[in-house]
Amino acid sequence: MTMDVKPSVKQEDAIREKAKSMPEEKTAKKSEVYYSSVAYLQFEDDTKVLSDLHRKGHVNKLLKEAANYDQGDAIELNRTFKSPLQNRGDDLVKEDKNYAVVYNNSVGGTYEVYRKVTEQNVEQNIKRYGLPDNATQDVKELAQSTSKKEKSLSAKEDAASSMLKQYDSMKAKHPDAMLLFRSGDFYMIYRDDAVKASKILDLSLTQKTKGIDMISFPHHALDMYLPKLIRAGERVAICDQLEMPRKEKVELSKTTKAEVSDNAKDLRDNLASKIVETVGKNNHHAFVLPLADKALNAETTRGENTELAKMQVLRGRVTFIDSEDNKLQLRDLKANTIQQLTDTLPSIAKAYLESIKSKEAVSHPTTQSTVAQAATTEQQQKFIDDIKAAMGSSKMVVLPDFGTKKGVVAGTDEDKGISLNRVYAWNDNVSFAGSVPSDDASKRRYYHPENIRPEFYDYLISEVKRAVAPQLITENGQKVTSANMFESPKQEGKYFFYARLDGVGLHPKAVKEADVEAFMKQEISVKDMFAKYYPTKMAKQLSKEDFDNTKLSDGRELTTFRVYKQRNEDKPLFGEYLLYAEMGDKRFHATPLTHDQLDMYFDRTQSKGQLAEKVIGEQLHLKSAYEKYKLPENIPTPEVRIRKVPEGAWLISANVGNKGQTAEKKLSNNDQYSLFKSKTATKEQLGAKYLMEDIKELSQSHLVSRSQGLKR
């Protein structure tokens, strides 16, 4: 086009609003859309076909015809914009995800065809061919933004490269030590050291810097990871960066397994190591050591004096709770306090463990020899292997009938009685979850095989086998396990039905009161409960071909069917799943789906056409959509009347004999069409839809005066 006048603000806003109203498309990466002109049609020979289609309103065909003018050439950066409306008089005729057509009547009736391209497409074109002097302002702004991003990225890469040089320099000076390099809030380990440390610390390797292996962890986690490296026999060097990488000034301190220096950090590591050696790492439940009667005073790094009430060890990390219930980390304590605790705490912890064992021997005299001797490593490994074999492919198994049993867990206070209700499989191990009677109902405690008494091994294995055995098999061959009813821990008297399908937990369903009692009395089976509360899981799944069938019961067929989740917070129905459909040029309003309809869609028990009938059947003017509306049988059939008011609206009301007449309700456009045009709805059905509550209310009331009847 030859005119340079920009469109009005209203036109710009209109195109943006139109774009927002279109159904969301699922894309791998959100990117701003640009419009690149591929054809400008101004001569009659070129515009005749498009004008004919435009005049007849066949905009979809017009867009398809216009797309043929795209020869697939490279993007012209001097004709690429953020909006297709660039001149006064521009009007967006039609656009889809690939093309847009703009008509301008003010210059004799011209059409311009735009190819829709992504921001990445434009950036790649600039890199390949350069930025021309006559590029549009939109393209120039994008080029400037891209340049800034690249400079920022380059600066980061330079900093990383310089830091790696520092690391290599320090590593060369200490080749026999594992080097921990401080960078900001993280410690970094590179190259072969990273590979070795990743196995010891169970951290994942990454290759963020030029394909070089590395691992990192937060600086505050040093207290947890350093003892692990030392216990693994590694000699460790810690390099604390003092200035920016370009200054290449660092300060080095060393610590080894054999030597402990006077600085506070080494003291903390030494204390943590001794405590863990005494009480273990306790990966799955905390070890708590009471200290209230030991009169252990501590001085914090803030200069405060406090008394320690208890010590806790979880996953190898040592923390303290003082008499005022404040939580203290080792780094919160001064060096002199750390040294005093190193001299006293290990012996206190050892004595406490021995006292627990002696109590166990007294409280379980019949199994004293078993208590004293825990399962061997080989027994534990066999137990783990047997549990995993029983679980099969399941990652979690529910044990609903385990009950509360004493003596399951060895060497802990929970030994008084515990109910194990879950078994988890992870990596090469398993763990158990349960509760004790004194706990809150929603609280769970976790145990490792080393915590379970050997005499319960066989029993637990048999319980897992029983739990994973399918209670029933669906029409699709899926195994149903763990199906049971449970009471909500938060709502007394509220029951839910739960099951697992091929090892995957289903969303619990609220159970009706009548079914609760029937299930408890075993008057209704697990199979019947599952079929009632998970009907789509029991139904036969359609083939992909049958599922994709968009044909309706009246023979018509949808041209577009899409179910999507509304992710735009500014739009209504945010977070809900919506169904959007088209039939030719007609678009149907995006409509939310119920939970049952969503189950039908995701479980593929209904075709897309059948689902559309259930969700937007009235918009489609289908007879089946109105069959659900029926007037009450126990009430004398009311006389349904419909009239048109001067304003053009159609009103519906009902005369209920000597009971009176309902108020008038306005018919929707869809229902008007279904009644008068497609004749797929009757007056009685619409009366049931609009007036059911009013009719029931009138039928239960005393005789009222009748108002003048309405004429159809």
Side-chain angles (χ1 to χ4, degrees):
M1 294 183 182
T2 57
M3 299 185 67
D4 296 328
V5 182
K6 293 288 183 181
S8 67
V9 174
K10 287 186 177 180
Q11 288 175 313
E12 289 282 359
D13 291 342
I15 184 63
R16 290 191 180 96
E17 287 300 317
K18 191 168 185 178
K20 286 181 180 179
S21 66
M22 293 181 67
E24 295 180 1
E25 295 289 336
K26 293 184 179 179
T27 56
K29 181 180 179 181
K30 289 187 177 180
S31 174
E32 189 166 1
V33 174
Y34 283 73
Y35 296 81
S36 182
S37 177
V38 294
Y40 175 56
L41 311 174
Q42 57 181 337
F43 300 108
E44 185 177 357
D45 290 343
D46 294 325
T47 62
K48 186 177 184 304
V49 175
L50 299 184
S51 295
D52 289 341
L53 294 172
H54 195 183
R55 186 173 59 256
K56 294 176 182 178
H58 297 163
V59 291
N60 287 329
K61 292 182 179 179
L62 184 152
L63 182 64
K64 188 175 181 180
E65 183 68 25
N68 293 327
Y69 286 92
D70 185 5
Q71 301 300 313
D73 297 330
I75 300 171
E76 292 185 16
L77 299 180
N78 62 328
R79 298 298 305 160
T80 300
F81 311 92
K82 286 186 177 180
S83 168
L85 304 180
Q86 292 298 313
N87 299 278
R88 180 181 297 167
D90 277 357
D91 177 48
L92 182 66
V93 179
K94 179 70 176 177
E95 73 172 313
D96 61 10
K97 63 181 180 180
N98 297 317
Y99 294 95
V101 178
V102 172
Y103 175 72
N104 192 306
N105 191 41
S106 63
V107 290
T110 63
Y111 291 88
E112 188 154 13
V113 184
Y114 288 94
R115 183 198 307 160
K116 295 172 75 171
V117 296
T118 65
E119 188 176 282
Q120 286 78 17
N121 295 145
V122 180
E123 289 175 342
Q124 290 170 2
N125 194 279
I126 294 172
K127 290 179 181 179
R128 183 175 298 175
Y129 303 108
L131 183 67
D133 295 336
N134 62 345
T136 64
Q137 186 60 32
D138 291 337
V139 172
K140 289 179 179 178
E141 289 176 357
L142 176 61
Q144 291 174 358
S145 174
T146 303
S147 177
K148 289 180 181 179
K149 290 179 183 177
E150 290 176 347
K151 288 180 180 179
S152 175
L153 182 61
S154 177
K156 290 180 180 179
E157 290 176 349
D158 290 342
S161 177
S162 178
M163 185 177 68
L164 194 58
K165 289 180 181 178
Q166 289 185 22
Y167 179 92
D168 290 338
S169 174
M170 289 300 160
K171 180 65 178 175
K173 295 178 182 179
H174 307 279
D176 58 339
M178 181 176 288
L179 181 61
L180 276 61
F181 191 87
R182 175 76 177 266
S183 175
D185 291 334
F186 289 83
Y187 278 101
M188 325 292 285
I189 308 177
Y190 292 95
R191 305 188 193 282
D192 293 341
D193 283 354
V195 176
K196 191 185 301 182
S198 69
K199 297 177 181 178
I200 299 172
L201 304 179
D202 196 23
L203 295 176
S204 299
L205 281 170
T206 59
Q207 294 185 340
K208 294 182 180 179
T209 308
K210 298 179 181 179
I212 296 173
D213 290 329
M214 65 162 285
I215 62 171
S216 64
F217 56 84
H219 70 93
H220 57 74
L222 185 64
D223 291 348
M224 179 172 63
Y225 288 126
L226 184 59
K228 292 184 179 181
L229 295 173
I230 294 174
R231 286 196 296 273
E234 294 295 329
R235 186 170 182 269
V236 181
I238 302 173
C239 179
D240 290 319
Q241 183 179 327
L242 295 180
E243 300 184 36
M244 293 298 291
R246 63 178 180 272
K247 304 247 178 129
E248 297 190 357
K249 293 183 179 179
V250 293
E251 179 181 54
L252 187 67
S253 62
K254 300 178 186 178
T255 181
T256 67
K257 183 179 180 181
E259 59 189 25
V260 179
S261 65
D262 293 334
N263 64 65
K265 185 182 176 314
D266 289 334
L267 291 173
R268 293 197 300 267
D269 296 341
N270 186 43
L271 173 59
S273 178
K274 288 189 175 183
I275 292 296
V276 169
E277 286 177 4
T278 305
V279 304
K281 292 187 291 185
N282 300 279
N283 286 334
H284 300 278
H285 64 281
F287 169 83
V288 179
L289 175 65
L291 299 173
D293 59 341
K294 305 300 180 183
L296 290 177
N297 294 318
E299 186 178 0
T300 69
T301 53
R302 295 181 179 180
E304 300 172 347
N305 289 310
T306 186
E307 185 175 341
L308 301 180
K310 63 179 73 171
M311 178 189 74
Q312 177 176 293
V313 181
L314 180 63
R315 300 187 188 94
R317 188 165 188 168
V318 180
T319 55
F320 295 93
I321 307 295
D322 68 9
S323 56
E324 297 180 359
D325 208 29
N326 296 315
K327 192 172 184 178
L328 300 172
Q329 307 289 347
L330 287 177
R331 63 174 177 270
D332 297 327
L333 304 178
K334 280 196 171 182
N336 60 333
T337 297
I338 296 290
Q339 185 61 63
Q340 293 171 5
L341 294 176
T342 303
D343 297 336
T344 57
L345 272 182
S347 58
I348 294 175
K350 186 176 181 180
Y352 178 73
L353 287 175
E354 290 175 351
S355 68
I356 290 178
K357 289 182 180 179
S358 63
K359 289 179 182 178
E360 287 293 327
V362 173
S363 59
H364 298 281
T366 58
T367 58
Q368 185 172 356
S369 60
T370 307
V371 173
Q373 184 175 0
T376 64
T377 303
E378 291 76 12
Q379 287 176 314
Q380 289 183 21
Q381 188 58 52
K382 185 178 184 305
F383 174 57
I384 292 170
D385 293 340
D386 290 344
I387 288 287
K388 293 189 71 175
M391 292 177 69
S393 60
S394 300
K395 297 299 181 184
M396 192 270 280
V397 170
V398 178
L399 305 176
D401 301 324
F402 184 87
T404 302
K405 293 179 172 54
K406 295 182 179 180
V408 178
V409 179
T412 68
D413 291 339
E414 292 89 10
D415 201 19
K416 298 174 183 177
I418 183 170
S419 175
L420 295 180
N421 46 45
R422 279 171 173 75
V423 185
Y424 299 91
W426 47 278
N427 296 334
D428 296 325
N429 215 326
V430 296
S431 57
F432 302 85
S435 60
V436 297
S438 59
D439 280 346
D440 181 271
S442 61
K443 181 179 178 181
R444 286 182 188 161
R445 303 194 184 199
Y446 295 89
Y447 306 95
H448 191 268
E450 65 195 29
N451 307 126
I452 305 297
R453 291 181 183 276
E455 59 263 36
F456 280 92
Y457 282 3
D458 291 340
Y459 178 75
L460 278 169
I461 293 169
S462 65
E463 285 294 292
V464 171
K465 288 180 178 178
R466 190 161 67 91
V468 300
Q471 293 163 284
L472 61 108
I473 298 177
T474 69
E475 289 282 335
N476 303 303
Q478 295 172 299
K479 297 177 182 179
V480 177
T481 57
S482 305
N484 208 342
M485 185 177 68
F486 66 92
E487 185 177 10
S488 169
K490 297 181 179 179
Q491 295 177 276
E492 186 176 353
K494 185 75 172 179
Y495 286 84
F496 291 85
F497 187 76
Y498 169 84
R500 299 181 71 81
L501 195 64
D502 280 350
V504 178
L506 302 177
H507 186 74
K509 301 282 188 177
V511 181
K512 297 178 180 178
E513 289 186 14
D515 292 336
V516 171
E517 186 175 354
F519 189 74
M520 288 181 173
K521 293 180 179 179
Q522 297 185 348
E523 295 173 354
I524 181 172
S525 66
V526 168
K527 182 178 181 180
D528 293 336
M529 286 284 283
F530 188 84
K532 183 171 185 177
Y533 290 97
Y534 299 104
T536 59
K537 305 296 182 186
M538 286 290 286
K540 184 69 176 177
Q541 193 176 75
L542 298 178
S543 66
K544 188 178 187 308
E545 182 180 358
D546 291 339
F547 174 68
D548 289 335
N549 184 5
T550 58
K551 186 170 289 188
L552 305 175
S553 58
D554 62 359
R556 292 180 295 165
E557 190 168 353
L558 298 173
T559 54
T560 299
F561 178 98
R562 183 182 301 120
V563 172
Y564 66 98
K565 189 173 185 179
Q566 179 58 270
R567 302 184 186 278
N568 190 335
E569 296 183 9
D570 298 328
K571 290 187 177 182
L573 304 174
F574 168 70
E576 294 194 37
Y577 281 91
L578 307 177
L579 185 151
Y580 172 81
E582 294 179 6
M583 184 182 290
D585 294 338
K586 183 173 177 57
R587 293 182 177 183
F588 300 97
H589 298 298
T591 307
L593 284 80
T594 65
H595 288 297
D596 290 340
Q597 290 166 349
L598 269 178
D599 288 341
M600 294 175 190
Y601 176 76
F602 287 116
D603 292 331
R604 298 198 327 195
T605 59
Q606 298 274 300
S607 70
K608 292 180 178 179
Q610 291 171 327
L611 187 60
E613 290 197 20
K614 295 180 182 295
V615 181
I616 57 172
E618 293 178 24
Q619 292 186 55
L620 293 165
H621 311 297
L622 291 168
K623 186 176 181 179
S624 59
Y626 291 94
E627 291 175 350
K628 61 186 175 184
Y629 298 118
K630 296 179 180 179
L631 291 170
E633 296 179 357
N634 59 341
I635 300 175
T637 304
E639 181 184 358
V640 179
R641 299 177 178 180
I642 296 176
R643 73 183 181 99
K644 187 176 183 180
V645 295
E647 293 80 7
W650 287 89
L651 305 180
I652 185 171
S653 65
N655 191 324
V656 194
N658 61 356
K659 299 294 184 181
Q661 183 171 299
T662 67
E664 292 180 317
K665 302 288 180 68
K666 182 181 177 181
L667 289 179
S668 69
N669 291 334
N670 277 327
D671 291 333
Q672 291 177 36
Y673 188 96
S674 297
L675 179 65
F676 298 118
K677 296 290 185 181
S678 64
K679 300 188 183 301
T680 51
T682 66
K683 287 192 304 179
E684 289 71 26
Q685 288 172 335
L686 295 180
K689 177 181 177 180
Y690 286 90
L691 308 170
M692 180 67 80
E693 294 301 321
D694 292 349
I695 292 172
K696 288 181 178 179
E697 186 176 345
L698 280 176
S699 68
Q700 297 170 1
S701 65
H702 294 291
L703 181 64
V704 295
S705 60
R706 296 178 58 186
S707 58
Q708 185 178 358
L710 299 176
K711 297 181 181 180
R712 179 174 177 179

